[in-house]
Amino acid sequence: MCCSQIAHVDSAPVLPSYKKRCVHRTSNLLIITALLVVAVLLLALSPSSQTTGEHRSTARLRGLAKTLRYAMNSEVDIVVQERSGGFGFSREELFGDRDGKAVYAAMRMDEAVFMKQLKDKLRRTKAWNYVIAKSDSIIDVHDIVASFTITMRGALNTEYLVIAFNGSGTVDRRGKPGGHVNWSLRGHLERDGMRVTFFNRTQAEERGTHLSDDSCSSEFS
């Protein structure tokens, strides 16, 4: 109903308020829909007849439902700030018109897919390697093409450093948590535990490595 009201409002300053409400309500509807889907799946899995694998699936579904309920009741403010490159990456380009709740819910539902989609947005830089990592990571990379930060405040208090680069380098998270939500990588790389080494084009060709690797294509701890 709020969208139809916009068409009858003549005062321009009121429009952003109505638009924000529409986006907010749409995000809540998406989260509610996801909760309903999870609830139906849980009902379909009768506890008395579940196998071991089905028990694990039920546990994951219950965890997802808890995450979605938390996301619906959580406020998350997201700020994107460019550091270098002049590509003009913005919150709108990375996340569209989704509000903080919807972005947070999407990340919690599938961290690998969420990070992969973010890295896909970096393709227009035409860089050789990409890094998205929490700011507590030790990052040393060269020939940077573009970089920016994604800061999340509220239910999730964290900052990500996003870098597209053509050179070699390292990302080190030794002694820190892993997983897609903490670091996500794409490019010509080699992993040794919680430390990753990136190769520039010349190094990759010397090693006979011509295919880019993506941490989201497999389990990544």
Side-chain angles (χ1 to χ4, degrees):
M1 289 300 292
C2 60
C3 292
S4 63
Q5 291 172 346
I6 291 176
H8 301 292
V9 175
D10 295 325
S11 176
V14 181
L15 291 177
S17 175
Y18 278 98
K19 181 178 179 181
K20 186 175 181 180
R21 284 183 221 168
C22 287
V23 173
H24 179 74
R25 291 175 185 174
T26 300
S27 298
N28 282 345
L29 284 173
L30 290 172
I31 296 173
I32 290 171
T33 301
L35 276 170
L36 288 172
V37 171
V38 171
V40 170
L41 290 173
L42 286 171
L43 288 172
L45 291 171
S46 172
S48 61
S49 61
Q50 287 179 7
T51 63
T52 302
E54 287 173 336
H55 275 296
R56 284 196 292 266
S57 297
T58 300
R60 285 195 294 268
L61 287 170
R62 291 188 188 281
L64 177 57
K66 182 178 180 180
T67 294
L68 289 170
R69 286 195 299 270
Y70 183 72
M72 187 173 178
N73 295 310
S74 302
E75 294 296 336
V76 179
D77 183 50
I78 301 173
V79 176
V80 175
Q81 184 172 1
E82 188 170 45
R83 293 176 53 139
S84 65
F87 284 86
F89 285 101
S90 65
R91 186 193 189 288
E92 290 70 27
E93 179 180 358
L94 298 177
F95 306 115
D97 61 0
R98 292 180 293 177
D99 66 5
K101 287 184 179 183
V103 174
Y104 176 72
M107 181 172 69
R108 298 303 299 172
M109 281 192 288
D110 196 323
E111 296 165 359
V113 170
F114 181 85
M115 288 297 184
K116 183 179 185 302
Q117 290 174 345
L118 272 183
K119 285 179 287 190
D120 287 345
K121 299 289 185 180
L122 302 175
R123 285 176 177 169
R124 67 184 178 91
T125 67
K126 301 188 185 304
W128 187 247
N129 297 312
Y130 306 122
V131 169
I132 301 175
K134 284 189 175 179
S135 56
D136 63 345
S137 307
I138 300 174
I139 303 174
D140 180 19
V141 298
H142 307 284
D143 196 4
I144 295 174
V145 178
S147 65
F148 56 90
T149 57
I150 302 174
T151 305
M152 299 181 178
R153 293 287 180 262
L156 184 67
N157 290 294
T158 191
E159 181 180 77
Y160 291 97
L161 181 58
V162 183
I163 308 175
F165 60 104
N166 287 326
S168 58
T170 59
V171 179
D172 194 333
R173 283 196 62 81
R174 285 177 292 188
K176 301 181 178 71
H180 300 291
V181 74
N182 290 303
W183 61 341
S184 191
L185 317 169
R186 179 182 294 175
H188 298 259
L189 55 92
E190 183 176 85
R191 181 178 180 182
D192 180 14
M194 297 299 288
R195 187 177 187 273
V196 170
T197 300
F198 282 91
F199 306 104
N200 61 31
R201 187 182 296 273
T202 300
Q203 291 170 330
E205 289 174 350
E206 289 175 351
R207 294 169 57 87
T209 305
H210 302 286
L211 297 178
S212 176
D213 193 15
D214 193 316
S215 62
C216 290
S217 62
S218 60
E219 292 294 327
F220 197 66
S221 60

